[in-house]
Each structure stands twice: as structure tokens, then as C-alpha cells.
Amino acid sequence: MADSEHPKGGKAQQFTELESKLISELRTQLPDILLEASNASSKPISHTLWGVDLQPSPSADRDLRIDVILGKFLKARTNDVHLARTMLVNTLQWRAEYGTDSILDEQFPDDVFGHVGMLYGRDKDGRPVTYNFYGGVDNKQVFGDLDRFLRWRVQLHERGMQQLDFVDVADMVQVHDYEGVGLLSYDKLARMASKATVQIMSDNYPETLATKIFANVPGWGETVFNIIGRWLSEDTKKKFVVVSKTSARAVLAQRIGGDVPEKFRVHEPVGDMDASKTEDVEGDGERAGATATLSAPEPRPAHMDVAEDLPKPTDAVDVETQGNDAQPVPEPAVTAAPEDIDPVDSPSDLATDTAGMRLDDSTDPKEETPATQK
């Protein structure tokens, strides 16, 4: 089949005319991209990315999975072919020098990371779901060895990438559980780990996130998210959903389904739901699935700019009656913050220091992280 032809493919393999044109332009450069990455890397690079051979035989049928992957790099760089090429070269170099292709074989202590994050099940559209738990974390134990933490975190993401077929499923869902997290829990070690994670993910895993659900967010959380939102791209903010402890289980049941960890399962009897009383959680006219008799209040999008109507601390108890899902709930014991915690000095510091709340945030395409970073 000629390389210029675009056969019909799976759900993830549908492109606009412009996208197809740009993908084809970038695809013709793949031999040069692989050569450039090989010359720049201190270690041999792999021609395979996330299980897809980027250098197939010329006689083979067009592999649309390559188009899906190239489309992600283009979208991450606002359809600039030159910048997308640079990003792909850097990613291939980073993977070679970081040893990413063999990272799945590495072992990490379960007593340290077993309760911090995991890959568990799929959502209703077949996307793999990763869970990150921030409450009760011993920051020194988890983040103290930064290189070990980053390699564990990359391994977790790579395990999710292994479950993408780039035919019908090409991205993942992340659930971040903030139960037990206090406002001052985010210390220097956590900030350093967050910044490094953000950089690795945004530089090397473009457009791999479909939705990020922030679950069990305490009353102060929405205020933080709305402040942070002023420095995030619209595409990134649209992927965020913030829900409180009261509605976390119901929202996950409606968005993911029943294949969730025990703490998020809805145990009310399954039965016929009254469609007239069921909340339209998705906001697109679709009713929530009848997985349980529990329906959720509509989650507050993290990108909604509601600074003018955010409740003051003294009237926070009225938040839920205003239709806002970020109502305060009694907080469990929180991780104590060290006495030397650095203050947030400016809005720009806040946007950076709270980076752990997002992993796929966009970075300036002209400021690539050196692929030699480890």
C-alpha cells in the first residue's frame, strides 16, 4: 500500500485532512529523525517506541499506529512539524540514555511504593487507569532518593503505555487521590519530585492523558486549582476533573465504571436509576450509567474561573448548597510538613511549586529538556 494512502483505521486512527498532511510530512522525516537521535545519543537508540516500529519495511502496509504516535508529538507542539521533530529526537535520545526500554524489569521496594501508585483496570472506553495516592506519604522515604522515585514513576507510566494499542486506545486516565493531604503537606522533597516528574512526562509522553481526576479534594483544594488554572493551557485544563470526598465514588463509577480499587467502589445495591433524577455528570447530555442507585453531584471542572464566587473560609459550609462539588469534609490525619518548608513568594512560584498536581502540563516548545538528563 502506498505511503500516501490513508486506509480507515480504529477509533484512535481518525485524522482531519490537515492532521493527515502534517503527519505524512513528519513521517517522511523518520529515517533522518532516527539517524539524528542515534548520532546525539551516547547509547544505542531503539527504533521502536511504545511497542511500535518507527522504521517498518518499505513493502509493509502503512502502520497507522505510527501516525497516531506522530500525531501526538505534533499536537504537543501546536502542529509545528519542526518542533515536533525536535521533540521526537529528544525523546528517542532520552529513552536510550535513561534506559526506559528496560525499566519494566527493574524492581522497587513494595513497602515504599506499593501504597503510592498503581495501574488498575480500564475505564468504560478501554483506557488503562493509573492511581496515585498522596495521603499519609512519608516524603523522605518516597521522594528522598529522587532518581529512584523518578524511575519508579516512569515505570508506572510505561506499564500503562504497554496497554495502549494505538488503534482504538491511545491514551490513559489518571486518578489522583488527595485523601489525607493537608495544605502544608507539599514540602521541598515533594516539590522537587513533582517538578522533575512534570518535566519528564511533558517532554517524553505527549498527549498520553485523556482525563485526570482529582478525587477526595479537601475544601481548600478548589481554590488552589483555580489559581493554578490561570497558568495552564486550555487543552490541559479541559482534561481535569475535581471532585470532593462526598462524590468521588459516584463520579468514578460514572466515568470509569465498576473496575476500580476497593476504596472507590460503590456498594449501594445496583438497581434501575430514575433517569429524570440522574445527574448529567459528563455535561454533554449523556446520562450516567445505571451502575448503582447513587448519583453524583456535577464535578467542578478545574479550569472553571470562579474567583469571583469562590466561598470565603467562613461560609465554606454553604459551598455544596451553591451547586459546587468542593464542599469541605472532615480531613483525616495529614502528613506533617517540615519546619523549613519554603514559602510561596509569587503567583509564578505557586504555578511551579504545585506542579505535582499535573503531569502532562505543556511546556515552552522552545525550551526542551536536554535528552541527556537522567
Side-chain angles (χ1 to χ4, degrees):
M1 183 179 294
D3 190 64
S4 60
E5 296 179 17
H6 290 267
K8 293 182 179 180
K11 290 188 296 183
Q13 298 175 334
Q14 308 303 312
F15 311 104
T16 66
E17 184 176 349
L18 175 61
E19 289 170 341
S20 295
K21 178 182 177 181
L22 295 173
I23 288 171
S24 292
E25 182 180 347
L26 184 58
R27 185 165 181 150
T28 61
Q29 300 180 33
L30 276 177
D32 292 335
I33 289 173
L34 293 169
L35 179 60
E36 183 179 346
S38 179
N39 290 337
S41 176
S42 61
K43 296 182 179 180
I45 70 163
S46 173
H47 291 180
T48 299
L49 180 58
W50 304 320
V52 178
D53 188 355
L54 300 181
Q55 197 175 41
S57 168
S59 61
D61 289 346
R62 183 184 183 99
D63 189 345
L64 289 179
R65 296 177 302 166
I66 298 176
D67 291 10
V68 174
I69 290 174
L70 295 181
K72 291 179 177 297
F73 283 86
L74 282 163
K75 186 174 181 181
R77 291 299 177 254
T78 59
N79 288 333
D80 186 307
V81 175
H82 175 71
L83 293 178
R85 169 180 171 146
T86 299
M87 185 182 189
L88 180 53
V89 167
N90 287 349
T91 293
L92 294 172
Q93 182 184 352
W94 171 80
R95 292 182 68 86
E97 297 183 345
Y98 199 72
T100 310
D101 287 334
S102 61
I103 206 166
L104 292 175
D105 298 326
E106 295 185 18
Q107 301 294 321
F108 299 94
D110 188 66
D111 60 331
V112 175
F113 297 107
H115 64 285
V116 178
M118 65 179 176
L119 181 69
Y120 190 102
R122 293 176 179 265
D123 75 351
K124 294 180 178 180
D125 293 317
R127 300 185 184 96
V129 184
T130 59
Y131 293 81
N132 293 274
F133 305 96
Y134 296 102
V137 170
D138 183 331
N139 288 355
K140 184 175 182 180
Q141 184 182 49
V142 174
F143 306 123
D145 185 337
L146 181 58
D147 183 66
R148 183 181 69 169
F149 168 77
L150 291 176
R151 296 192 70 80
W152 170 82
R153 186 62 186 83
V154 169
Q155 184 193 75
L156 178 63
H157 202 77
E158 282 288 320
R159 288 172 58 201
M161 297 298 293
Q162 293 289 312
Q163 296 193 17
L164 306 181
D165 59 15
F166 300 103
V167 178
D168 294 313
V169 181
D171 46 23
M172 296 183 284
V173 174
Q174 290 179 353
V175 177
H176 288 220
D177 183 7
Y178 281 84
E179 184 175 13
V181 175
L183 185 58
L184 299 179
S185 298
Y186 198 59
D187 66 11
K188 186 180 296 184
L189 290 174
R191 288 202 305 278
M192 290 176 61
S194 296
K195 292 176 185 178
T197 304
V198 169
Q199 200 68 58
I200 287 177
M201 295 298 165
S202 59
D203 283 354
N204 302 291
Y205 296 93
E207 300 298 321
T208 59
L209 176 67
T211 304
K212 187 189 293 288
I213 301 174
F214 298 89
N216 295 320
V217 175
W220 51 264
E222 186 184 356
T223 302
V224 174
F225 280 113
N226 278 281
I227 295 173
I228 295 171
R230 290 175 169 82
W231 288 275
L232 302 184
S233 68
E234 288 302 316
D235 285 343
T236 297
K237 289 186 287 186
K238 289 176 182 177
K239 298 176 181 180
F240 288 3
V241 175
V242 181
V243 291
S244 73
K245 185 175 182 179
T246 302
S247 60
R249 289 186 177 185
V251 170
L252 263 64
Q254 293 168 355
R255 287 178 172 264
I256 296 177
D259 192 13
V260 295
E262 176 64 28
K263 71 170 296 183
F264 290 116
R265 290 177 187 168
V266 176
H267 296 290
E268 281 73 6
V270 176
D272 295 331
M273 299 180 71
D274 184 346
S276 65
K277 296 181 180 180
T278 304
E279 295 289 343
D280 177 11
V281 175
E282 297 294 341
D284 58 3
E286 296 181 3
R287 294 291 182 181
T291 56
T293 56
L294 175 64
S295 64
E298 186 172 355
R300 189 74 152 190
H303 64 279
M304 186 177 294
D305 187 1
V306 293
E308 68 277 2
D309 65 355
L310 279 175
K312 303 297 187 296
T314 54
D315 54 76
V317 292
D318 297 323
V319 174
E320 185 172 14
T321 62
Q322 298 169 14
N324 183 343
D325 186 48
Q327 69 277 10
V329 295
E331 288 191 40
V334 299
T335 305
E339 295 180 358
D340 64 345
I341 186 169
D342 292 341
V344 175
D345 297 320
S346 67
S348 60
D349 290 336
L350 178 63
T352 300
D353 290 345
T354 50
M357 295 181 179
R358 59 191 190 279
L359 295 184
D360 289 328
D361 200 20
S362 59
T363 57
D364 187 342
K366 297 182 178 59
E367 296 182 0
E368 297 284 353
T369 296
T372 56
Q373 175 184 341
K374 180 172 179 179

